[in-house]
Amino acid sequence: MRSRQRLLAAVMRLLLKCLRLGRRRRLGLLRQAGQLWHYGRLCLRSLLYNSFTNSDVVLDSLFEPVYWLVDHVTRWFGVVFVALVIGLTSSIVAIVYICLLPLILQTYTPAWICWHLTYGHWNLIMIVFHYYKAITTSPGHPPQAKNDVTGVSICRKCIAPKPARTHHCSICNRCVLKMDHHCPWLNNCVGHYNHRYFFSFCLFMTMGCIYCSISAWDMFRDAYAAIERMKLLEKDRLQVAANQTYYQTPPPTFSFRQRAFHKSVVYLWVLCSSVALALGALTLWHAALITRGETSIERHINKKERQRLQKKGKVFRNPYSYGSWDNWKVFLGVDVPRHWLTRVLLPSPHPPHGTGLSWELPPCVREQRVPLLAI
C-alpha cells in the first residue's frame, strides 16, 4: 500500500515538473517570437527609412504601376494622337475651303475678302510649319561620351552625368536637355531644341481656332436653327407619312447637300471653340512659365526650393531668369529688332541660344543675372 502511494506521489511530482518545464518553454518561445518581430520591424524600418520621405513620396510609390502603364500606353498611342491632330485639322481646313470660302467670296466686300485670305493662309502656314518642326525636331539629348558632359548630377536610370535643366523622360527612356514635358500630341518630348516650335504651334492653333469661331458665329447660328427646323419637318413628315401610301409621301424639304453644309458648319464651330478654350488655357500656362524663365518641371522644383529657403529666411532667385522681357527674347531667339518679323511672325528654323549643356549669358541679354540666393 505504501509502495503504491510512493509510486503515485512520484508520478505526480514528475507530472508537475513536466508541466512547469512546458510552461517555461512556452514563455521562452513567446519571448523569442516577440524578439524576432521587433527585430524584423527594425530591419524593415532601417531599409525604408529616408529623411525626405513624405506623403508625396508614398503616393508616388503606390502609383508607380499606374505611371508605368501610362508611359507605355502614351508611347504606343503617340502615333494615333498625331494622326488625330492631322485628321481634325484637315477636316476643318476642308470645311473652310468647301463651305465657308465660297460664301465669303460671294457676300463679303473686297477688303474683307483680302483680310480673310491673307490672315487665314498666314495662320495656316504657321500652324503647319511649327507642328511639323515640333514633331520632327529632336528635343536634344546629352552626348553619350561622359567626358564631354559637364554634369551637375547623375541620372539614376541612365547612370550618366546630367547637365543642368536636364531630366529623364520615362516614355522616351532618355535624358532630355531642358525638358519641359512629353507631349503625346507630338509623339515627342518638348525640350531645348523644339520648345519654341511647340509653344508657337499652341499659340497659332489657338489664334486660328478663335478666328474660325468668331468668323463662323453667324453661320453657326443659322446652321443650328436650320438643323432644328430639319428635325421638326422630319418629325411632321413622318407623322403625315404614317397615314399615307409610299407614293403620297412628300419629298424631304432639305437636300443632302444642305444637311451636310449645316452640320459641317456646326461641327467646325463646336470643335474650334472647344480647342480654343482648352489649348488657350495651356498656351497661357506656358506663356506664364516662359515669362518666369521656367519649364513645367522646373516650376515644381523651384516651388519646393522657394518654400524650403523661405523657412530659413532666404529668398530664392531663378538663375535662368533674365527678366520678363529678356526671357521672351531668349526663348524666341530675338537678337535684333528685325527678328520680331523674320523669326516670330514668319516661319523660321533658327536654333535656340546655347547648346543646352551649359547656360552662358545670351547675347541679347545685357544685364547680369541676379544671384541664386539672396538674404
Side-chain angles (χ1 to χ4, degrees):
M1 187 69 180
R2 291 181 179 178
S3 60
R4 189 177 295 177
Q5 290 178 353
R6 290 175 183 174
L7 180 62
L8 183 61
V11 171
M12 293 297 295
R13 284 195 299 271
L14 181 61
L15 181 61
L16 291 174
K17 187 176 182 180
C18 291
L19 291 174
R20 197 177 295 113
L21 290 175
R23 186 177 181 184
R24 292 177 181 176
R25 185 174 299 175
R26 286 197 301 271
L27 291 175
L29 290 176
L30 291 175
R31 192 179 298 109
Q32 290 179 0
Q35 291 177 354
L36 289 175
W37 168 255
H38 290 297
Y39 179 73
R41 288 185 59 188
L42 180 62
C43 290
L44 185 63
R45 292 183 64 183
S46 64
L47 290 174
L48 300 179
Y49 176 75
N50 188 345
S51 59
F52 296 99
T53 302
N54 51 26
S55 59
D56 295 335
V57 177
V58 175
L59 288 176
D60 288 342
S61 301
L62 293 176
F63 279 92
E64 191 65 29
V66 179
Y67 297 150
W68 180 88
L69 180 63
V70 171
D71 290 346
H72 284 70
V73 169
T74 304
R75 183 183 306 170
W76 291 109
F77 277 85
V79 179
V80 178
F81 291 145
V82 171
L84 187 62
V85 172
I86 296 175
L88 293 177
T89 305
S90 301
S91 66
I92 296 299
V93 173
I95 292 173
V96 169
Y97 274 101
I98 296 173
C99 300
L100 302 186
L101 187 59
L103 286 178
I104 292 175
L105 296 176
Q106 293 175 5
T107 58
Y108 283 35
T109 61
W112 278 110
I113 292 175
C114 292
W115 154 253
H116 283 292
L117 291 177
T118 303
Y119 178 82
H121 286 90
W122 169 78
N123 203 341
L124 178 62
I125 291 172
M126 298 297 285
I127 291 173
V128 173
F129 171 80
H130 288 100
Y131 189 66
Y132 173 77
K133 295 295 289 185
I135 292 175
T136 58
T137 302
S138 173
H141 307 282
Q144 297 297 325
K146 298 181 180 180
N147 295 331
D148 299 337
V149 182
T150 304
V152 297
S153 62
I154 300 295
C155 179
R156 294 179 297 176
K157 297 184 178 180
C158 295
I159 314 299
K162 190 165 63 173
R165 313 186 80 178
T166 300
H167 300 279
H168 188 90
C169 176
S170 57
I171 299 175
C172 298
N173 199 24
R174 295 186 66 180
C175 283
V176 178
L177 299 176
K178 192 195 164 190
M179 180 180 176
D180 188 90
H181 69 287
H182 184 95
C183 181
W185 301 102
L186 302 179
N187 195 27
N188 195 7
C189 269
V190 177
H192 179 62
Y193 288 101
N194 65 346
H195 194 180
R196 179 177 66 89
Y197 296 132
F198 164 77
F199 177 79
S200 298
F201 163 71
C202 293
L203 176 62
F204 289 113
M205 178 63 82
T206 302
M207 292 171 57
C209 290
I210 294 174
Y211 164 72
C212 290
S213 298
I214 294 176
S215 300
W217 169 245
D218 293 333
M219 298 181 187
F220 165 74
R221 290 191 303 174
D222 296 339
Y224 186 80
I227 291 175
E228 292 297 322
R229 288 198 304 271
M230 275 191 261
K231 293 179 180 179
L232 293 176
L233 291 175
E234 185 70 18
K235 184 177 179 181
D236 295 339
R237 187 179 68 84
L238 293 176
Q239 291 177 353
V240 173
N243 300 323
Q244 295 178 349
T245 64
Y246 175 80
Y247 297 100
Q248 294 174 335
T249 301
T253 307
F254 291 89
S255 64
F256 173 78
R257 184 175 181 179
Q258 291 174 327
R259 292 171 183 270
F261 174 83
H262 295 312
K263 291 181 179 180
S264 298
V265 172
V266 172
Y267 163 78
L268 177 143
W269 192 87
V270 172
L271 180 60
C272 288
S273 300
S274 302
V275 173
L277 290 175
L279 195 59
L282 179 65
T283 305
L284 290 175
W285 163 255
H286 280 277
L289 294 177
I290 295 169
T291 304
R292 295 196 295 263
E294 297 176 333
T295 61
S296 298
I297 298 177
E298 291 172 351
R299 189 256 178 187
H300 298 286
I301 298 175
N302 293 345
K303 181 180 179 180
K304 292 184 178 180
E305 189 68 13
R306 188 176 294 108
Q307 293 175 351
R308 186 183 69 85
L309 293 176
Q310 188 176 6
K311 295 179 181 178
K312 297 182 179 181
K314 298 180 180 179
V315 180
F316 172 78
R317 302 295 183 187
N318 184 7
Y320 307 111
S321 177
Y322 311 103
S324 301
W325 182 248
D326 287 336
N327 286 337
W328 279 101
K329 291 170 64 178
V330 172
F331 178 79
L332 298 173
V334 177
D335 297 330
V336 294
R338 70 172 182 273
H339 285 169
W340 289 105
L341 173 63
T342 59
R343 293 187 173 184
V344 178
L345 298 180
L346 294 176
S348 175
H350 66 278
H353 287 294
T355 61
L357 300 175
S358 59
W359 300 94
E360 293 81 10
L361 193 68
C364 59
V365 179
R366 296 182 179 180
E367 297 182 0
Q368 296 294 324
R369 288 177 288 181
V370 295
L372 176 63
L373 300 178
I375 304 297

